[in-house]
Short mmCIF file of all heavy atoms in Angstrom, two decimals:
data_model
loop_
_atom_site.label_atom_id
_atom_site.label_comp_id
_atom_site.label_asym_id
_atom_site.label_seq_id
_atom_site.Cartn_x
_atom_site.Cartn_y
_atom_site.Cartn_z
N ARG E 67 -24.70 1.83 -5.81
CA ARG E 67 -25.42 0.79 -5.11
C ARG E 67 -25.36 -0.40 -6.13
O ARG E 67 -25.72 -0.27 -7.30
CB ARG E 67 -26.84 1.38 -4.85
CG ARG E 67 -27.10 2.45 -3.96
CD ARG E 67 -28.49 2.93 -3.81
NE ARG E 67 -29.46 2.48 -4.72
CZ ARG E 67 -30.43 1.58 -4.38
NH1 ARG E 67 -30.48 1.18 -3.06
NH2 ARG E 67 -31.25 1.08 -5.26
N TRP E 68 -25.23 -1.61 -5.61
CA TRP E 68 -25.12 -2.72 -6.46
C TRP E 68 -26.53 -2.97 -7.22
O TRP E 68 -26.67 -3.42 -8.22
CB TRP E 68 -24.74 -3.96 -5.64
CG TRP E 68 -25.71 -4.53 -4.73
CD1 TRP E 68 -25.65 -4.36 -3.35
CD2 TRP E 68 -26.76 -5.45 -4.94
NE1 TRP E 68 -26.70 -5.02 -2.78
CE2 TRP E 68 -27.33 -5.63 -3.67
CE3 TRP E 68 -27.37 -6.05 -6.03
CZ2 TRP E 68 -28.60 -6.50 -3.67
CZ3 TRP E 68 -28.38 -6.88 -5.94
CH2 TRP E 68 -29.02 -7.15 -4.79
N GLN E 69 -27.69 -2.62 -6.44
CA GLN E 69 -29.05 -2.71 -7.05
C GLN E 69 -29.23 -1.94 -8.32
O GLN E 69 -30.17 -2.34 -9.13
CB GLN E 69 -30.07 -2.36 -6.04
CG GLN E 69 -29.95 -3.16 -4.76
CD GLN E 69 -29.18 -2.69 -3.66
OE1 GLN E 69 -28.16 -2.00 -3.91
NE2 GLN E 69 -29.42 -3.16 -2.34
N ASP E 70 -28.40 -0.90 -8.49
CA ASP E 70 -28.65 -0.08 -9.77
C ASP E 70 -27.89 -0.63 -10.87
O ASP E 70 -28.07 -0.18 -12.01
CB ASP E 70 -27.92 1.29 -9.45
CG ASP E 70 -28.70 2.09 -8.35
OD1 ASP E 70 -29.95 1.92 -8.18
OD2 ASP E 70 -28.07 3.04 -7.80
N HIS E 71 -27.16 -1.77 -10.74
CA HIS E 71 -26.45 -2.46 -11.82
C HIS E 71 -26.70 -3.87 -11.95
O HIS E 71 -26.44 -4.42 -13.08
CB HIS E 71 -24.90 -2.28 -11.44
CG HIS E 71 -24.52 -0.84 -11.18
ND1 HIS E 71 -24.26 0.01 -12.23
CD2 HIS E 71 -24.33 -0.09 -10.17
CE1 HIS E 71 -23.97 1.23 -11.88
NE2 HIS E 71 -23.93 1.21 -10.53
N PHE E 72 -27.05 -4.60 -10.83
CA PHE E 72 -27.29 -6.02 -10.99
C PHE E 72 -28.66 -6.52 -10.36
O PHE E 72 -29.13 -5.81 -9.46
CB PHE E 72 -26.12 -6.71 -10.20
CG PHE E 72 -24.79 -6.43 -10.71
CD1 PHE E 72 -24.05 -5.52 -9.98
CD2 PHE E 72 -24.30 -7.03 -11.91
CE1 PHE E 72 -22.71 -5.15 -10.33
CE2 PHE E 72 -23.02 -6.54 -12.26
CZ PHE E 72 -22.19 -5.68 -11.53
N ASP E 73 -29.11 -7.50 -10.83
CA ASP E 73 -30.43 -8.07 -10.31
C ASP E 73 -30.21 -8.79 -8.99
O ASP E 73 -30.96 -8.61 -8.02
CB ASP E 73 -31.07 -9.10 -11.21
CG ASP E 73 -31.62 -8.40 -12.57
OD1 ASP E 73 -31.86 -7.27 -12.48
OD2 ASP E 73 -31.59 -9.19 -13.57
N THR E 74 -29.05 -9.46 -8.76
CA THR E 74 -28.75 -10.01 -7.50
C THR E 74 -27.24 -9.90 -7.33
O THR E 74 -26.53 -9.60 -8.32
CB THR E 74 -29.02 -11.47 -7.54
OG1 THR E 74 -28.12 -12.26 -8.47
CG2 THR E 74 -30.48 -11.80 -7.90
N LEU E 75 -26.77 -10.15 -6.10
CA LEU E 75 -25.38 -10.05 -5.81
C LEU E 75 -24.67 -11.26 -6.46
O LEU E 75 -23.43 -11.26 -6.57
CB LEU E 75 -25.00 -9.89 -4.24
CG LEU E 75 -25.22 -8.52 -3.74
CD1 LEU E 75 -25.10 -8.54 -2.16
CD2 LEU E 75 -24.16 -7.64 -4.22
N GLY E 76 -25.31 -12.42 -6.43
CA GLY E 76 -24.62 -13.64 -6.99
C GLY E 76 -23.54 -13.97 -6.13
O GLY E 76 -23.50 -13.89 -4.88
N LEU E 77 -22.38 -14.30 -6.66
CA LEU E 77 -21.08 -14.65 -5.93
C LEU E 77 -20.55 -13.40 -5.29
O LEU E 77 -19.42 -13.39 -4.59
CB LEU E 77 -20.09 -15.35 -6.85
CG LEU E 77 -20.54 -16.72 -7.33
CD1 LEU E 77 -19.54 -17.32 -8.38
CD2 LEU E 77 -20.67 -17.72 -6.30
N GLY E 78 -20.87 -12.22 -5.90
CA GLY E 78 -20.23 -10.92 -5.58
C GLY E 78 -20.39 -10.01 -6.83
O GLY E 78 -20.82 -10.41 -7.78
N ALA E 79 -20.05 -8.81 -6.60
CA ALA E 79 -20.40 -7.79 -7.79
C ALA E 79 -19.31 -6.61 -7.61
O ALA E 79 -18.92 -6.29 -6.48
CB ALA E 79 -21.76 -7.08 -7.63
N ILE E 80 -18.84 -6.27 -8.78
CA ILE E 80 -17.90 -5.17 -8.88
C ILE E 80 -18.39 -4.17 -9.87
O ILE E 80 -18.96 -4.56 -10.94
CB ILE E 80 -16.53 -5.71 -9.44
CG1 ILE E 80 -15.73 -6.49 -8.36
CG2 ILE E 80 -15.74 -4.50 -9.97
CD1 ILE E 80 -14.51 -7.13 -8.73
N VAL E 81 -18.31 -2.96 -9.61
CA VAL E 81 -18.70 -1.80 -10.43
C VAL E 81 -17.31 -0.98 -10.53
O VAL E 81 -16.93 -0.54 -9.55
CB VAL E 81 -19.88 -0.92 -10.00
CG1 VAL E 81 -19.97 0.26 -10.96
CG2 VAL E 81 -21.09 -1.75 -10.10
N ALA E 82 -16.82 -0.88 -11.77
CA ALA E 82 -15.68 -0.03 -12.03
C ALA E 82 -16.11 1.14 -12.70
O ALA E 82 -16.64 1.05 -13.81
CB ALA E 82 -14.58 -0.86 -12.83
N ASP E 83 -16.07 2.32 -11.98
CA ASP E 83 -16.64 3.50 -12.53
C ASP E 83 -15.41 4.39 -13.11
O ASP E 83 -14.56 4.85 -12.36
CB ASP E 83 -17.34 4.20 -11.27
CG ASP E 83 -17.86 5.58 -11.77
OD1 ASP E 83 -17.62 6.02 -12.80
OD2 ASP E 83 -18.69 6.12 -11.04
N THR E 84 -15.31 4.37 -14.42
CA THR E 84 -14.24 4.91 -14.98
C THR E 84 -14.28 6.52 -14.94
O THR E 84 -13.24 7.18 -15.04
CB THR E 84 -14.13 4.60 -16.49
OG1 THR E 84 -15.29 5.02 -17.17
CG2 THR E 84 -13.86 3.19 -16.67
N GLY E 85 -15.45 7.14 -14.62
CA GLY E 85 -15.61 8.49 -14.51
C GLY E 85 -15.03 9.01 -13.18
O GLY E 85 -14.34 9.94 -13.06
N SER E 86 -15.46 8.26 -12.03
CA SER E 86 -14.89 8.70 -10.78
C SER E 86 -13.67 7.98 -10.40
O SER E 86 -12.93 8.11 -9.32
CB SER E 86 -15.92 8.39 -9.58
OG SER E 86 -16.06 6.99 -9.53
N ARG E 87 -13.06 7.01 -11.36
CA ARG E 87 -11.85 6.28 -11.14
C ARG E 87 -11.83 5.48 -9.79
O ARG E 87 -10.93 5.50 -9.04
CB ARG E 87 -10.56 7.29 -11.14
CG ARG E 87 -10.57 7.85 -12.57
CD ARG E 87 -9.46 8.97 -12.68
NE ARG E 87 -9.80 9.69 -13.90
CZ ARG E 87 -9.11 10.83 -14.10
NH1 ARG E 87 -8.30 11.39 -13.32
NH2 ARG E 87 -9.39 11.43 -15.28
N ALA E 88 -12.99 4.82 -9.53
CA ALA E 88 -13.13 3.96 -8.40
C ALA E 88 -13.79 2.76 -8.70
O ALA E 88 -14.53 2.57 -9.71
CB ALA E 88 -13.94 4.82 -7.37
N LEU E 89 -13.28 1.64 -7.97
CA LEU E 89 -13.90 0.27 -8.05
C LEU E 89 -14.73 0.06 -6.78
O LEU E 89 -14.23 0.22 -5.71
CB LEU E 89 -12.84 -0.60 -8.22
CG LEU E 89 -13.31 -2.14 -8.46
CD1 LEU E 89 -12.36 -2.86 -9.39
CD2 LEU E 89 -13.37 -2.95 -7.06
N HIS E 90 -15.86 -0.52 -6.98
CA HIS E 90 -16.82 -0.75 -5.92
C HIS E 90 -16.98 -2.17 -5.96
O HIS E 90 -17.29 -2.81 -6.89
CB HIS E 90 -18.11 -0.05 -5.98
CG HIS E 90 -18.06 1.43 -6.24
ND1 HIS E 90 -18.29 2.31 -5.18
CD2 HIS E 90 -17.83 2.17 -7.35
CE1 HIS E 90 -18.03 3.55 -5.63
NE2 HIS E 90 -17.83 3.59 -6.77
N PHE E 91 -16.89 -2.85 -4.67
CA PHE E 91 -17.01 -4.24 -4.47
C PHE E 91 -18.04 -4.51 -3.45
O PHE E 91 -17.98 -4.06 -2.39
CB PHE E 91 -15.66 -4.98 -4.10
CG PHE E 91 -15.84 -6.34 -3.62
CD1 PHE E 91 -16.06 -7.42 -4.49
CD2 PHE E 91 -15.86 -6.74 -2.20
CE1 PHE E 91 -16.22 -8.73 -4.08
CE2 PHE E 91 -15.98 -7.91 -1.79
CZ PHE E 91 -16.24 -8.96 -2.64
N TRP E 92 -18.88 -5.59 -3.73
CA TRP E 92 -19.90 -6.04 -2.79
C TRP E 92 -19.75 -7.63 -2.67
O TRP E 92 -19.64 -8.23 -3.78
CB TRP E 92 -21.36 -5.78 -3.17
CG TRP E 92 -21.61 -4.23 -3.25
CD1 TRP E 92 -22.15 -3.51 -2.31
CD2 TRP E 92 -21.44 -3.50 -4.42
NE1 TRP E 92 -22.29 -2.16 -2.64
CE2 TRP E 92 -21.92 -2.22 -4.06
CE3 TRP E 92 -21.03 -3.61 -5.69
CZ2 TRP E 92 -21.89 -1.05 -4.90
CZ3 TRP E 92 -20.98 -2.49 -6.54
CH2 TRP E 92 -21.46 -1.26 -6.14
N SER E 93 -19.67 -8.12 -1.43
CA SER E 93 -19.51 -9.57 -1.30
C SER E 93 -20.93 -10.22 -1.58
O SER E 93 -21.88 -9.58 -1.58
CB SER E 93 -19.08 -9.87 0.01
OG SER E 93 -19.94 -9.44 1.00
N GLY E 94 -20.89 -11.45 -1.94
CA GLY E 94 -22.12 -12.27 -2.30
C GLY E 94 -23.04 -12.22 -1.20
O GLY E 94 -24.34 -12.30 -1.39
N ASP E 95 -22.69 -12.22 0.08
CA ASP E 95 -23.69 -12.10 1.12
C ASP E 95 -24.10 -10.82 1.54
O ASP E 95 -24.84 -10.66 2.47
CB ASP E 95 -23.04 -12.91 2.37
CG ASP E 95 -21.75 -12.23 2.90
OD1 ASP E 95 -21.38 -11.13 2.46
OD2 ASP E 95 -21.15 -12.87 3.81
#
Side-chain angles (χ1 to χ4, degrees):
R67 293 173 358 107
W68 70 264
Q69 297 90 338
D70 295 336
H71 304 281
F72 305 101
D73 292 332
T74 67
L75 278 172
L77 297 173
I80 290 174
V81 171
D83 185 343
T84 59
S86 68
R87 301 176 191 164
L89 182 143
H90 304 264
F91 166 77
W92 298 267
S93 61
D95 63 6

